[in-house]
Amino acid sequence: MAGKPKLHYPNGRGRMESIRWLLAAAGVEFEEQFIEAKEDLEKLRNGGDLLFQQVPMVEIDGMKMVQTRAILNYIAAKYNLYGKDLKERAWIDMYVEGTTDLGGMIMYLPFQPAETKEKNLALIIERATTRYFPVYEKALKDHGHDYLVGNKLSWADIHLLEVILMAEECKPDILSAFPLLQAFKGRISNIPTIKKFLQPGSQRKPPATEKFVADVKKTFNI
């Protein structure tokens, strides 16, 4: 029997958080090796473990996988969360790219200078409510199913929930104009594996603190 996937990344969200979400939703237990200092990162680099000298890196099925999208593609396909055919996969990809764009804006907010944060927060809220969330609201309305693609849980649903919760940390009532997304959030949050991941004490990471931002900048020479 193969061992648990092992995740190499700092002890925070960043690019690894969507990988944690996907593994957790699939019911896969995983281990984490946190990068806490420059020496930890250099050890991985010098050991030849990082194909492009970058993290995240996930040890899974005898591979040392890098590049976030490649890792997510592999996990989604392995655990049957990537649609039943090419067309479904294409829709999942489109929906995920949208949530990735919005999630990226939110993820980088704590790393931005204080003088630009308010402006960028306003932009996040504007984009979420006028560009991104209307697409998912319409998708749920048009096909009348519980899930975004194929009436079956997929990576697109999992990633949308992750980003909805991130957006609510920016503005708690951000879904006020989107009743179908509110219902979607409730449904997906109550899937047993996801519900477990949302409980205190899970491997889900909290929003970035000032200390985490400072530590990451020091470790990665940002």
Side-chain angles (χ1 to χ4, degrees):
M1 183 178 173
K4 296 177 183 177
K6 189 172 185 179
L7 283 49
H8 296 264
Y9 203 71
N11 187 11
R13 288 183 182 173
R15 294 184 180 276
M16 187 66 88
E17 190 70 355
S18 293
I19 296 167
R20 297 184 186 107
W21 265 87
L22 197 54
L23 286 167
V28 179
E29 293 185 1
F30 57 88
E31 300 174 349
E32 299 190 80
Q33 181 70 52
F34 296 124
I35 296 169
E36 297 177 328
K38 286 183 182 179
E39 292 76 20
D40 299 329
L41 182 61
E42 289 306 312
K43 185 177 179 181
L44 286 173
R45 286 173 171 168
N46 295 336
D49 291 334
L50 304 179
L51 193 63
F52 300 109
Q53 307 295 304
Q54 296 171 312
V55 291
M57 189 268 278
V58 175
E59 297 184 60
I60 184 169
D61 294 344
M63 297 183 289
K64 293 181 177 178
M65 293 195 71
V66 296
Q67 298 293 11
T68 310
R69 183 63 193 238
I71 297 166
L72 288 164
N73 283 349
Y74 183 83
I75 294 166
K78 178 180 173 73
Y79 294 104
N80 198 26
L81 294 165
Y82 209 178
K84 70 178 188 298
D85 56 31
L86 274 175
K87 282 191 175 181
E88 286 196 357
R89 186 167 291 197
W91 277 106
I92 290 167
D93 284 342
M94 285 191 283
Y95 288 142
V96 166
E97 289 296 333
T99 42
T100 298
D101 288 347
L102 178 58
M105 293 174 70
I106 300 170
M107 180 173 69
Y108 288 119
L109 189 64
F111 291 85
Q112 294 169 352
E115 60 270 19
T116 65
K117 278 186 182 177
E118 189 173 337
K119 179 182 175 183
N120 286 315
L121 177 59
L123 180 62
I124 287 166
I125 293 166
E126 188 269 331
R127 288 279 172 84
T129 54
T130 66
R131 179 178 295 187
Y132 295 106
F133 288 164
V135 170
Y136 304 104
E137 183 81 2
K138 184 176 187 298
L140 293 167
K141 181 180 180 181
D142 286 352
H143 63 52
H145 294 158
D146 287 348
Y147 306 104
L148 287 171
V149 180
N151 202 25
K152 180 179 182 294
L153 181 69
S154 77
W155 173 21
D157 303 302
I158 297 159
H159 201 241
L160 176 55
L161 176 62
E162 178 192 353
V163 174
I164 283 172
L165 297 179
M166 290 170 67
E168 286 184 332
E169 290 168 353
C170 296
K171 188 176 189 289
D173 66 346
I174 200 163
L175 289 187
S176 60
F178 304 102
L180 296 181
L181 281 179
Q182 292 176 41
F184 171 89
K185 172 192 163 187
R187 283 195 305 275
I188 306 303
S189 295
N190 276 300
I191 292 169
T193 52
I194 294 175
K195 188 173 183 178
K196 182 180 178 183
F197 188 59
L198 292 173
Q199 298 303 309
S202 80
Q203 288 167 290
R204 183 183 178 218
K205 304 301 182 242
T209 62
E210 288 185 11
K211 181 182 185 304
F212 174 74
V213 170
D215 289 346
V216 167
K217 286 182 174 181
K218 184 177 178 181
T219 300
F220 291 88
N221 289 323
I222 298 172

